[in-house]
């Protein structure tokens, strides 16, 4: 037995071949550990490929609640002959390796704990149908691992039944396979590595959810009425989840009719076009896409910005440019989304870091869009959208839908028809609009992407043009008022400061802890959650000499947006960038800070 | 032209107000800025007349367009309606979104041949495939008037541009495409044929689904010369009327002393109760059979004819908003109480995920 146990603090790396059906087995492990009260996350590191290329699934368990990616692997489950050798060679000493016996990995190194398992021999008796064995053998490693690290079998069983809740036969088959794996391990293996789990109480009131599903729920409870989309990784599951929830909760029980429309368009240009048309005609409309779709939507987003049409665009960012790494995460669309389209344009961004924020910000985005009469972007990324996160439960929205400045028939009558679509009545740059179908004879106006005067008449006059552009600029500058505030965790003893957005958050949070524990360096932290940045962001940067802007792209796009908005204090900004496509991990940040600060 | 058509409707002076009590003025728009003699101006006039005569409430109409000469024209009619001059070739998606938001709106799309058949072909096709409820008019002059007369995708092979260059690419026949792609009302007309265009447009307004009207509409500045196959003269010389058309709106009695020969009139009941009466000038033609329609369109092309009339009607296919089973109230008008599910729904999901 090991000298020092490592309890509830390790990462499991499952190496399989894409298309081998290991996702269920991994989700079952994740769920069983979650039910034991251990903070966990599950990240799928998969190739852009149907079948055959290597894929890894990592499960991180951490009793302190740090569930960002951990770069180092503690337990490797090596099921893929293609990568097994390389996977083993890259491990740190002391790791545990469960591997398929025929791969004969045991002789590769002396400093690891090897557990050869004859998966085929264990699987065959419990799975009489040969073609199912490829799938079922994955559940066998669940059983082996359960024995090895003390996952409670009751929880494993419940997780299996939950995973196969609609297929009782499959549930029984897989449970038998898990038990077979567990029994084989108990009879044949001797535990030598230090890693194990122990029931704790870290998940009270928590859920396991992907950001895409969270965002989909946000749309549903934010009152979305039209969703248009085109399939693209990593955003497809968002639209699909939204449609499923809409069908469940937004069909009128009496009439059986839908209070929503979901349309899979022919491409991203059509999806944004439909969303703009729907927003113009009074729907709460949105589209969901990723970087390549954002590029295609450019012209329509410029039109919506200039003609002042509300629409929500959800960008689940993946690694670009071009097709790039379609199944890898990135924060590479900040700049392009913020200024999408030609001419002088800018669009508010909401940047969630957690599933709970995906829910809240997506719901809020419709209010912001209708309030500002503008396209609004919600910036997820693949890591947040497609991976499983332990999250706080979502709170039911306690605010009313904001439908913005819309004039009704009665109001136009009261104005005796004297209104203008682009007049700045309130001095906030936000004009009033009417919705098509308004029956007042003076309600109609002409929407165009060409120059117009305050009454929406065609105009090429330079004073009309400049006045209109200045008004829109003022409106967009004030848009920060409608966006989520930055969250600041300041410390008077902080030697350095961090600034980050989105999924960099988990890594920064953990890095701060590492810096304090390992280097005795206290840090301050500002997490921006929207662009334009809130005033508190500026004050934070001003207070700190060195603010490390952490982000997941090559060119420092977040820092660039900060520099634009706060030119006077831009010399306070330092940059830490990672753009390798994996979810950002804390060690990468800590090492970079240690080097830059000469710690 | 059939004498029967003329007989039924003695041209009366237009009444001062229509069946919803509006005069002609609310149906007019701004003064046109297109060239004098442009076919598009005639089409705008027909739109004004037809919407007035049909007694359509202009506040319940949305007029949408893309980019081009044709797409400017919505400013010149239906001034009371909401208009949207969108982006080049992508008006179908905007119109689709608008009718999703409010299925009760009457969508009138005005586009050109470049906007529809060149840059916009993808969206045009998918709009028809969905049978989006819209009257979609292609003001077809075979060229880009706004950028000085380059050929569009409907220009005929060998048609000569003002610069003297002959077109080397074969044309896309928007009507054949429409029939193939699922449009449920397909007609071709000519901006210079006031009567036929009026009748066809009124019938299209009574149809629910994608109604495509390809209206040959000569560009007097860049494509009205000898050698052009979209000039006034060429169209007049090569126009063949498939049938003589009569339209009986749902709010009028059919009071025909029918002098048609038995079996020579085909009546097509439209969605709003109006009736389209097609006097067959060609014995075999069945406008509800898409194969016949395609066959005849192709034959016309081979013969160098510009075939006008109602080429195809299908009143059986449900429109896109019907297929989506949308709430009786337009989505845009549904309030928070029905847009946001109750707390119990969120609780249910949270329990499932925990």
């Amino acid at each position: 037995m090991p000298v020092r146990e490592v309890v509830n603090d390790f990462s499991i790396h499952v190496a399989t071949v894409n298309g081998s059906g290991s996702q269920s087995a991994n989700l079952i492990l994740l769920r069983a550990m979650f039910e034991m009260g251990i903070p966990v996350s599950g990240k799928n590191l998969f190739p852009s490929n149907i079948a055959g290329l290597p894929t890894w699934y990592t499960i991180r368990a951490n009793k302190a609640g740090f569930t960002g990616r951990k770069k180092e692997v503690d337990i490797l489950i090596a099921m893929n002959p293609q990568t097994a050798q390389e996977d083993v060679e890259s491990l740190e000493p002391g790791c545990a390796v469960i591997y398929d016996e025929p791969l004969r990995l045991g002789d590769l190194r002396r400093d690891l704990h090897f557990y050869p398992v004859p998966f085929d021999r264990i699987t065959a008796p419990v799975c009489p149908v040969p073609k199912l064995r490829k799938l079922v053998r994955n559940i066998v490693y669940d059983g082996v691992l359960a024995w090895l690290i003390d996952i409670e079998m009751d929880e494993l069983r419940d997780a299996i039944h939950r995973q196969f809740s609609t297929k009782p036969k499959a549930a029984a088959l897989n449970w038998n396979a898990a038990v077979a794996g567990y029994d084989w391990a108990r009879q044949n293996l001797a535990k030598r590595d230090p890693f194990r789990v122990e029931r704790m109480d870290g998940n009270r009131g928590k859920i396991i959810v992907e950001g895409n599903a969270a965002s989909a729920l946000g749309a549903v409870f934010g009152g979305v009425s039209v969703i248009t989309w085109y399939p693209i990784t990593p955003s497809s599951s968002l639209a699909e989840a939204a449609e499923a929830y809409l069908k469940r909760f937004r069909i009128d029980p009496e009439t059986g009719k839908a209070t929503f429309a979901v349309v899979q368009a022919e491409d991203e240009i059509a999806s944004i076009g439909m969303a703009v048309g729907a927003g113009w005609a009074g729907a709460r409309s949105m589209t969901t896409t990723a970087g390549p779709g954002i590029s295609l939507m450019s012209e329509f987003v410029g039109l919506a910005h200039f003609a002042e049409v509300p629409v929500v665009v959800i960008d689940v960012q993946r690694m670009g440019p071009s097709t790039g790494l379609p199944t890898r995460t990135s924060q590479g669309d900040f700049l392009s989304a913020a200024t999408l389209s030609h001419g002088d344009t800018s669009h508010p961004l909401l940047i969630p870091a957690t599933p709970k924020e995906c829910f809240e910000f997506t719901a809020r985005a419709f209010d912001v869009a209708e309030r500002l009469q503008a396209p609004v972007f919600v910036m997820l990324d693949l890591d947040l959208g497609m991976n499983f996160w332990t999250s706080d439960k979502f709170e039911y929205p306690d605010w009313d839908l904001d439908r913005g400045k819309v004039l009704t028939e009665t109001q136009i009558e009261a104005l005796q028809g004297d209104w203008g679509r682009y007049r700045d009545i309130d001095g906030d740059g936000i004009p009033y609009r009417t919705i098509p179908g308004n029956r007042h004879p003076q309600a109609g106006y002409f929407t165009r992407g060409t120059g117009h005067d305050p009454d929406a008449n065609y105009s090429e006059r330079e004073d009309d043009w400049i006045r209109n552009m200045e008004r829109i600029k003022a409106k967009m500058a004030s848009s920060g008022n409608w966006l989520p505030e930055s969250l600041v965790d300041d410390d008077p003893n902080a030697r350095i400061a961090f600034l980050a957005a989105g999924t960099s958050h988990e890594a920064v949070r953990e890095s701060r802890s590492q810096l304090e524990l390992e280097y005795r360096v206290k840090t301050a932290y500002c997490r921006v959650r929207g662009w334009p940045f809130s005033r508190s962001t500026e004050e934070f940067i001003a207070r700190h000499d060195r603010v490390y802007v952490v982000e997941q792209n090559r060119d420092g796009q977040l820092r660039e947006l900060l520099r634009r908005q706060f030119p006077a204090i831009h010399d306070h900004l330092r940059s830490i960038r990672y753009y390798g496509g994996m979810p950002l991990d804390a060690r990468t940040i800590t090492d970079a800070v240690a080097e830059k600060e000469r710690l | 032209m059939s004498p029967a058509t003329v007989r039924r409707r003695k041209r009366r002076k237009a009444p001062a107000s229509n069946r919803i009590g509006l005069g002609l003025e609310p149906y007019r728009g701004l003064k046109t800025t297109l060239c004098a003699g442009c076919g598009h101006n005639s089409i705008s006039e027909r739109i004004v007349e037809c919407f007035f005569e049909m007694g359509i409430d202009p506040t319940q109409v949305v007029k949408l367009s893309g980019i081009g000469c044709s797409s400017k024209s919505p400013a010149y009619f239906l001034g009371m309606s909401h208009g949207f001059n969108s982006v080049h070739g992508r008006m179908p998606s905007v119109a689709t979104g608008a009718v999703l938001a409010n299925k009760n709106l009457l969508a009138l799309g005005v586009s050109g041949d470049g906007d529809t058949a060149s840059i916009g072909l993808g969206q045009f096709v998918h709009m028809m495939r969905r049978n989006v409820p819209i009257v979609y008019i292609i003001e077809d002059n075979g060229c880009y008037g706004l950028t000085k007369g380059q050929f569009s995708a409907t220009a005929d092979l060998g048609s000569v541009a003002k610069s003297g260059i002959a077109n080397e690419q074969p044309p896309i026949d928007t009507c054949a495409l429409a029939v193939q792609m699922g449009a449920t009302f397909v007609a071709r007309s000519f901006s210079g044929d006031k009567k036929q265009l009026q009748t066809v447009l009124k019938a299209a307004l009574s149809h629910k689904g994608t109604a495509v009207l390809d209206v040959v509409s000569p560009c007097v500045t860049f494509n009205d010369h000898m050698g052009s196959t979209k000039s006034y003269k060429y169209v007049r010389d090569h126009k063949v009327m498939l049938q003589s058309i009569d339209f009986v709106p749902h709010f009028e009695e059919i009071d025909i002393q029918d002098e048609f020969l038995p079996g020579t009139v085909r009546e097509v009941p439209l969605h709003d109760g109006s009736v389209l009466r097609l006097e067959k000038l060609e014995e075999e033609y069945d406008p509800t059979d898409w194969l016949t329609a395609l066959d005849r369109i192709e034959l016309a092309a081979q013969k160098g004819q510009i075939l006008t009339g109602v080429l195809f009607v299908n009143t059986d296919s449900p429109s896109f908003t019907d297929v989506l089973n949308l709430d009786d109230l337009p989505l845009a008008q549904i309030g928070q109480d029905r847009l946001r599910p109750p707390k119990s729904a969120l609780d249910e999901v949270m329990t499932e995920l925990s």
Side-chain angles (χ1 to χ4, degrees):
Chain A
M1 286 303 285
V3 190
R4 194 178 60 87
E5 287 190 334
V6 178
V7 179
N8 295 349
D9 184 12
F10 54 82
S11 75
I12 305 168
H13 211 58
V14 185
T16 52
V17 179
N18 197 27
S20 64
S22 57
Q23 177 80 342
S24 301
N26 299 329
L27 293 179
I28 287 163
L29 280 182
L30 184 74
R31 173 56 68 173
M33 287 158 73
F34 173 81
E35 295 295 340
M36 286 177 69
I38 306 158
V40 282
S41 66
K43 296 189 191 295
N44 194 9
L45 313 173
F46 62 108
S48 176
N49 164 259
I50 306 300
L53 287 183
T55 179
W56 294 270
Y57 196 86
T58 67
I59 294 176
R60 170 109 190 252
N62 183 277
K63 59 189 167 215
F66 294 127
T67 55
R69 187 171 81 95
K70 188 183 171 196
K71 208 155 52 167
E72 304 80 16
V73 176
D74 297 304
I75 300 171
L76 172 69
I77 300 178
M79 303 294 281
N80 183 0
Q82 263 180 288
T83 63
Q85 192 155 335
E86 198 185 327
D87 287 337
V88 167
E89 278 163 4
S90 66
L91 295 174
E92 297 287 319
C95 294
V97 182
I98 296 171
Y99 69 94
D100 194 13
E101 198 173 40
L103 297 178
R104 306 170 70 91
L105 302 175
D107 295 335
L108 285 176
R109 284 173 63 169
R110 298 271 164 234
D111 55 351
L112 304 173
H113 304 290
F114 284 105
Y115 302 101
V117 179
F119 282 101
D120 288 338
R121 226 167 60 211
I122 302 170
T123 310
V126 292
C127 184
V129 185
K131 69 172 183 185
L132 291 179
R133 284 179 194 152
K134 189 179 89 168
L135 300 171
V136 170
R137 73 206 291 269
N138 294 318
I139 308 290
V140 173
Y141 70 63
D142 282 2
V144 172
L145 189 69
W147 177 80
L148 196 67
I149 66 170
D150 293 348
I151 294 171
E152 294 170 15
M153 282 302 268
D154 286 350
E155 293 297 357
L156 198 66
R157 187 192 52 226
D158 289 353
I160 288 172
H161 282 278
R162 184 187 180 110
Q163 183 70 26
F164 299 103
S165 60
T166 56
K167 302 173 192 158
K169 267 192 185 165
L173 175 66
N174 281 289
W175 171 238
N176 289 339
V179 170
Y182 183 90
D183 288 343
W184 182 90
R186 182 167 50 84
Q187 288 157 14
N188 295 284
L189 297 181
K191 169 86 174 173
R192 293 186 307 273
D193 67 272
F195 307 106
R196 53 183 292 266
V197 291
E198 207 170 83
R199 181 170 282 278
M200 58 180 279
D201 193 17
N203 293 333
R204 194 173 289 256
K206 305 266 186 185
I207 55 172
I208 295 188
V209 69
E210 306 125 295
N212 278 355
S215 193
L217 280 167
V220 173
F221 287 86
V224 69
S225 49
V226 172
I227 298 179
T228 57
W229 65 292
Y230 184 74
I232 183 170
T233 303
S235 76
S236 303
S237 61
L238 200 165
E240 286 166 340
E243 184 167 21
Y245 284 125
L246 285 167
K247 282 181 173 161
R248 190 164 148 195
F249 296 125
R250 292 271 300 277
I251 303 270
D252 190 289
E254 279 169 31
T255 62
K257 292 187 173 178
T259 60
F260 64 88
V262 178
V263 178
Q264 184 187 317
E266 59 269 31
D267 57 33
E268 286 91 344
I269 301 177
S271 37
I272 184 70
M274 290 178 198
V276 167
W280 173 73
R284 305 263 278 186
S285 74
M286 74 172 233
T287 181
T288 167
T289 188
I294 294 292
S295 296
L296 284 171
M297 291 177 183
S298 173
E299 187 182 18
F300 258 123
V301 168
L303 171 70
H305 169 77
F306 185 65
E308 303 182 59
V309 178
V311 60
V312 172
V313 181
I314 300 183
D315 178 7
V316 189
Q317 298 167 91
R318 66 186 218 187
M319 187 59 78
S322 190
T323 310
L325 300 172
T327 60
R328 308 294 179 182
T329 195
S330 122
Q331 292 182 322
D333 298 347
F334 284 154
L335 264 181
S336 57
T339 60
L340 196 65
S341 207
H342 53 278
D344 292 314
T345 54
S346 67
H347 321 291
L349 313 179
L350 292 93
I351 315 170
T354 63
K356 193 168 185 228
E357 286 185 345
C358 288
F359 175 79
E360 289 171 6
F361 292 7
T362 305
R364 284 276 187 203
F366 295 95
D367 294 336
V368 180
E370 289 203 306
R371 172 54 47 185
L372 293 173
Q373 300 173 19
V376 168
F377 288 77
V378 185
M379 306 297 288
L380 277 66
D381 62 33
L382 184 142
D383 182 23
L384 183 55
M386 288 188 75
N387 286 324
F388 282 89
W389 297 65
T390 301
S391 164
D392 290 328
K393 281 186 178 166
F394 309 156
E395 280 156 33
Y396 189 71
D398 59 359
W399 71 89
D400 286 335
L401 305 185
D402 184 352
R403 306 306 307 260
K405 297 185 186 179
V406 174
L407 294 175
T408 61
E409 285 88 340
T410 323
Q411 288 166 312
I412 295 189
E413 191 55 37
L415 293 166
Q416 296 174 317
D418 181 21
W419 77 288
R421 171 67 181 96
Y422 298 110
R423 293 184 198 171
D424 185 6
I425 301 296
D426 303 325
D428 57 1
I430 306 173
Y432 286 81
R433 67 177 181 140
T434 57
I435 305 291
N438 183 314
R439 292 186 181 275
H440 196 281
Q442 253 85 47
Y445 67 94
F446 202 86
T447 305
R448 47 164 62 87
T450 43
H452 42 260
D453 70 11
D455 291 339
N457 299 308
Y458 182 79
S459 171
E460 295 184 11
R461 289 172 58 115
E462 70 174 346
D463 56 344
D464 279 339
W465 179 263
I466 290 171
R467 194 166 46 198
N468 190 45
M469 290 297 284
E470 288 297 323
R471 179 184 57 75
I472 294 175
K473 184 180 178 185
K475 176 178 91 164
M476 299 321 288
S478 77
S479 65
N481 298 333
W482 311 98
L483 301 177
E485 277 275 323
S486 293
L487 293 181
V488 172
D489 179 13
D490 220 334
D491 186 330
N493 301 316
R495 189 161 133 193
I496 55 166
F498 281 117
L499 188 150
T503 51
S504 305
H505 173 57
E506 274 300 308
V508 170
R509 214 164 66 81
E510 189 175 357
S511 174
R512 293 180 69 203
S513 160
Q514 290 174 347
L515 285 165
E516 182 152 10
L517 285 172
E518 298 168 19
Y519 297 99
R520 309 263 163 236
V521 170
K522 280 192 184 297
T523 59
Y525 178 30
C526 171
R527 180 158 69 85
V528 296
R529 304 192 298 167
W531 180 81
F533 306 112
S534 59
R535 187 173 295 279
S536 55
T537 318
E538 182 174 17
E539 292 159 359
F540 177 85
I541 297 170
R543 276 200 303 276
H544 296 277
D545 292 339
R546 294 192 304 290
V547 179
Y548 285 94
V549 181
V550 180
E551 55 187 311
Q552 300 168 58
N553 56 65
R554 187 192 66 184
D555 291 348
Q557 301 188 12
L558 186 60
R559 187 187 50 169
E560 181 58 30
L561 289 173
L562 288 161
R563 206 151 56 177
R564 280 190 200 185
Q565 194 176 335
F566 310 124
I569 46 174
H570 81 266
D571 56 338
H572 293 212
L573 303 175
R574 303 283 181 277
S575 179
I576 294 176
R577 302 174 307 279
Y578 167 76
Y579 55 99
M582 295 292 136
L584 181 59
D585 69 289
R587 186 55 60 188
T588 297
I589 301 172
T590 304
D591 289 352
V593 170
E595 191 193 324
K596 285 169 197 277
E597 292 284 318
R598 301 173 197 279
L599 298 177
Chain B
M1 172 71 66
S2 154
T5 315
V6 181
R7 254 193 320 275
R8 196 182 80 77
R9 279 175 205 285
K10 295 191 190 83
R11 292 305 298 170
R12 286 172 302 213
K13 210 168 167 351
S17 67
N18 63 11
R19 70 190 177 98
I20 62 164
L22 291 179
L24 198 58
E25 203 47 40
Y27 294 90
R28 294 194 207 275
L30 301 171
K31 189 176 176 301
T32 178
T33 60
L34 301 176
C35 307
C38 174
H40 302 357
N41 289 331
S42 312
I43 300 172
S44 294
E45 286 165 25
R46 299 296 85 75
I47 291 170
V48 171
E49 291 158 6
C50 287
F51 276 73
F52 167 74
E53 287 173 22
M54 290 294 286
I56 294 167
D57 179 353
T59 68
Q60 302 306 300
V61 176
V62 284
K63 44 180 186 172
L64 304 107
S65 62
I67 296 292
C69 294
S70 58
S71 292
K72 285 180 173 291
S73 71
Y76 316 139
F77 54 78
L78 301 178
M80 204 187 269
S81 306
H82 277 82
F84 201 149
N85 183 195
S86 67
V87 297
H88 200 13
R90 324 291 181 192
M91 172 266 281
S93 64
V94 181
T96 303
V99 298
L100 292 178
N102 188 341
K103 63 177 186 175
N104 295 342
L105 295 174
L106 193 162
L108 174 66
V110 176
S111 180
D113 38 296
D115 198 57
T116 292
S118 298
I119 188 172
L121 196 67
Q123 294 212 343
F124 176 57
V125 164
H126 285 276
M127 169 191 74
M128 298 190 291
R129 174 181 154 252
R130 294 189 180 99
N131 198 23
V132 172
I134 184 173
V135 175
Y136 187 97
I137 300 176
I138 306 164
E139 302 187 342
D140 187 355
N141 58 18
C143 73
Y144 290 84
L146 213 51
T147 51
K148 299 200 183 295
Q150 299 86 350
F151 290 119
S152 80
T154 67
D156 288 310
L157 196 59
S159 184
V160 177
K162 202 176 182 183
S163 61
I165 296 169
N167 182 33
E168 293 173 346
Q169 305 297 323
I172 291 171
D173 188 313
T174 51
C175 287
L177 191 66
V179 171
Q180 270 183 314
M181 288 297 146
T184 45
F185 184 103
V186 181
R188 177 165 280 144
S189 189
F190 171 45
S191 65
D193 187 341
K194 183 174 173 175
K195 173 123 201 82
Q196 186 196 45
L197 180 53
Q198 252 191 359
T199 316
V200 164
L201 179 55
K202 283 181 185 175
L205 289 170
S206 298
H207 178 79
K208 190 176 183 198
T210 304
V212 171
L213 272 54
D214 180 74
V215 185
V216 183
S217 173
C219 172
V220 289
T221 304
F222 293 107
N223 210 8
D224 197 28
H225 47 266
M226 186 76 108
S228 160
T229 61
K230 294 273 197 288
S231 67
Y232 277 110
K233 180 169 186 341
Y234 188 92
V235 178
R236 289 207 171 96
D237 291 350
H238 294 79
K239 190 163 67 93
V240 172
M241 287 173 76
L242 182 60
Q243 70 271 94
S244 164
I245 310 162
D246 197 9
F247 173 79
V248 185
H250 61 93
F251 49 86
E252 274 182 21
E253 297 282 324
I254 300 183
D255 60 345
I256 293 172
Q257 299 90 43
D258 222 331
E259 293 178 23
F260 292 132
L261 294 170
T264 61
V265 176
R266 170 119 189 187
E267 294 198 346
V268 183
L270 299 172
H271 291 110
D272 71 351
S274 303
V275 178
L276 181 64
R277 293 169 56 90
L278 305 171
E279 184 198 353
K280 287 194 245 177
L281 298 182
E282 293 183 13
E283 290 290 322
E284 305 302 318
Y285 203 80
D286 176 2
T288 64
D289 178 32
W290 69 281
L291 277 175
T292 306
L294 280 181
D295 202 46
R296 185 63 187 86
I297 293 168
E298 178 56 30
L299 184 70
Q302 283 173 17
K303 288 184 172 174
Q305 299 172 339
I306 297 168
L307 185 68
T308 67
V310 176
L311 306 176
F312 179 68
V313 195
N314 161 13
T315 53
D316 296 332
S317 295
S319 79
F320 191 46
T321 50
D322 292 330
V323 169
L324 288 170
N325 192 30
L326 299 179
D327 198 79
D328 295 334
L329 202 61
L331 297 182
Q333 292 167 15
I334 297 177
Q336 177 172 332
D337 56 322
R338 293 174 71 222
L339 285 182
R340 177 178 283 161
K343 183 169 182 302
S344 58
L346 186 63
D347 290 344
E348 205 179 299
V349 178
M350 290 302 103
T351 305
E352 284 167 14
L353 296 173
S354 60

